[in-house]
Amino acid sequence: MPYRKRQRSTPQRRIILEELQKVRSHPTASELYELVRIRIPKISLGTVYRNLELLAEQGTIKKLSACGKETRFDGVVNPHYHVFCCQCGRVDDVFDLPKGFPLETPEYVCGYRILGQRLEFFGICPKCNSCPRDIQHEPPKEKE
Amino acid sequence: MPYRKRQRSTPQRRIILEELQKVRSHPTASELYELVRIRIPKISLGTVYRNLELLAEQGTIKKLSACGKETRFDGVVNPHYHVFCCQCGRVDDVFDLPKGFPLETPEYVCGYRILGQRLEFFGICPKCNSCPRDIQHEPPKEKE
DNA sequence: CTGTCTGCAAATGGTTTGCACCATA
DNA sequence: TATGGTGCAAACCATTTGCAGACAG
């Protein structure tokens, strides 16, 4: 049980959370910064980072660390999975898993006491798929 | 089919690959750099990065991007999964999946044409687990 | 009042890149 | 000898942090 210092409620923290929960695009810190800046023009990027970290620690939001070099954030914390487009970097939610899924989380794997698991899909999104091959909207993100 | 320029064989590239395939610790670029430096003292970190990138692109090695801020590399490319220790950052291979696994890769998910999937486990490794709680060998890495 | 939070700016640190020289095919 | 690769150092850029003033409780 990690020590957690008591925290205050600030308009910055509240609005960062509101804006994140309002979108379904899994924004990066900078993208969210731009959204929040509409409502709090003087907010700083550092504050956004600090609060996202804090909200993620307390489990109010989730970090998606596996989708390129910028961390993305997800305001929806009920269990679901993600699909990443290898071409344009888009991220979508997967609530309905294909048959064979979902998965139980095992208690132990290789001696590790398991706390969680992550399942992610990689592929080509419908938009990229409908374009001629080798023509990319954006440079491809890392695959695995 | 992405264009790939023809590449030469250099001692640097060969030895980077050899050293990576020799260890099972999923080293970071810097860790691998230290290993390679024993054999090629004058090699530069930039060369290590450039070659790891290249080897990953051609599928000879794999990038593990979801385990903290430093990218780790895996010289074993046959399909297997990973367990990450949330406390010390250790990464282990999982070749024997618990029942229910492994999973078929679906052809389509949410309209995406699926190229691959990634399943990862997070938990506490045996070493960390045997220590009193809240005493960490190293600062915790990000969880999810 | 006390201690947390913010804005600002500077620092960090992993990764990438420009360049001139080197070496493979 | 043409061109890809290397070492070196500087650049990049997402993220973190130190600090002084602001503000919540």
Side-chain angles (χ1 to χ4, degrees):
Chain A
M1 48 202 65
Y3 169 69
R4 185 158 291 148
K5 69 182 164 191
R6 103 176 201 287
Q7 64 187 58
R8 298 177 175 171
S9 161
T10 65
Q12 285 88 339
R13 182 132 64 227
R14 201 176 324 118
I15 289 176
I16 286 169
L17 179 58
E18 276 177 29
E19 291 300 316
L20 177 57
Q21 289 177 335
K22 196 183 290 180
V23 298
R24 292 282 58 239
S25 59
H26 312 90
T28 63
S30 318
E31 287 166 355
L32 196 51
Y33 169 61
E34 292 305 330
L35 289 175
V36 173
R37 212 136 69 110
I38 296 169
R39 296 174 60 184
I40 315 179
K42 284 188 60 59
I43 199 170
S44 76
L45 185 53
T47 297
V48 174
Y49 272 107
R50 269 186 291 234
N51 279 298
L52 287 173
E53 194 56 46
L54 206 149
L55 290 165
E57 261 171 37
Q58 68 185 32
T60 309
I61 66 172
K62 273 179 140 183
K63 273 180 163 183
L64 307 181
S65 319
C67 43
K69 58 196 318 177
E70 282 178 86
T71 301
R72 292 180 172 276
F73 295 87
D74 192 341
V76 177
V77 290
N78 70 339
H80 64 279
Y81 302 90
H82 295 102
V83 223
F84 300 86
C85 180
C86 299
Q87 277 196 35
C88 68
R90 179 174 150 192
V91 184
D92 275 302
D93 291 317
V94 182
F95 287 101
D96 300 311
L97 282 173
K99 75 169 180 57
F101 306 82
L103 323 152
E104 297 295 312
T105 298
E107 257 192 277
Y108 282 89
V109 170
C110 295
Y112 283 59
R113 184 163 51 80
I114 298 305
L115 300 174
Q117 68 188 10
R118 175 159 63 196
L119 173 64
E120 295 163 339
F121 298 96
F122 297 87
I124 308 295
C125 76
K127 186 179 164 198
C128 288
N129 209 19
S130 65
C131 287
R133 61 165 178 245
D134 294 338
I135 299 193
Q136 300 175 347
H137 311 303
E138 288 176 44
K141 304 291 161 80
E142 42 138 3
K143 282 201 287 288
E144 174 169 8
Chain B
M1 49 204 66
Y3 168 69
R4 184 159 293 148
K5 69 182 165 191
R6 105 177 199 288
Q7 63 188 57
R8 298 175 178 172
S9 159
T10 66
Q12 286 88 338
R13 181 133 61 229
R14 200 177 326 118
I15 289 176
I16 287 169
L17 180 57
E18 275 178 28
E19 292 300 316
L20 178 57
Q21 289 176 334
K22 195 182 291 180
V23 297
R24 293 282 56 238
S25 58
H26 312 90
T28 63
S30 317
E31 288 167 354
L32 196 51
Y33 169 60
E34 292 305 329
L35 289 175
V36 173
R37 213 136 68 108
I38 297 169
R39 296 174 61 184
I40 315 178
K42 284 189 60 60
I43 198 171
S44 76
L45 184 53
T47 297
V48 174
Y49 271 107
R50 268 185 293 235
N51 279 300
L52 286 173
E53 194 56 45
L54 206 148
L55 291 164
E57 261 171 37
Q58 69 186 31
T60 309
I61 67 173
K62 273 180 140 184
K63 274 182 165 181
L64 307 182
S65 320
C67 44
K69 58 196 317 176
E70 283 179 85
T71 301
R72 291 179 172 277
F73 296 87
D74 193 339
V76 177
V77 291
N78 70 339
H80 64 278
Y81 300 90
H82 295 102
V83 225
F84 301 87
C85 180
C86 299
Q87 276 197 33
C88 68
R90 180 173 149 193
V91 183
D92 277 300
D93 291 318
V94 183
F95 286 102
D96 300 311
L97 282 173
K99 75 170 181 53
F101 306 83
L103 320 154
E104 297 296 313
T105 298
E107 257 192 277
Y108 282 89
V109 169
C110 294
Y112 283 60
R113 184 164 51 81
I114 298 306
L115 301 174
Q117 68 190 13
R118 174 159 63 194
L119 173 63
E120 295 163 339
F121 298 96
F122 297 87
I124 309 295
C125 76
K127 186 178 163 198
C128 288
N129 209 18
S130 64
C131 286
R133 59 163 179 248
D134 292 340
I135 300 193
Q136 300 176 346
H137 311 303
E138 288 176 43
K141 305 288 160 81
E142 44 138 2
K143 281 200 288 290
E144 176 169 8

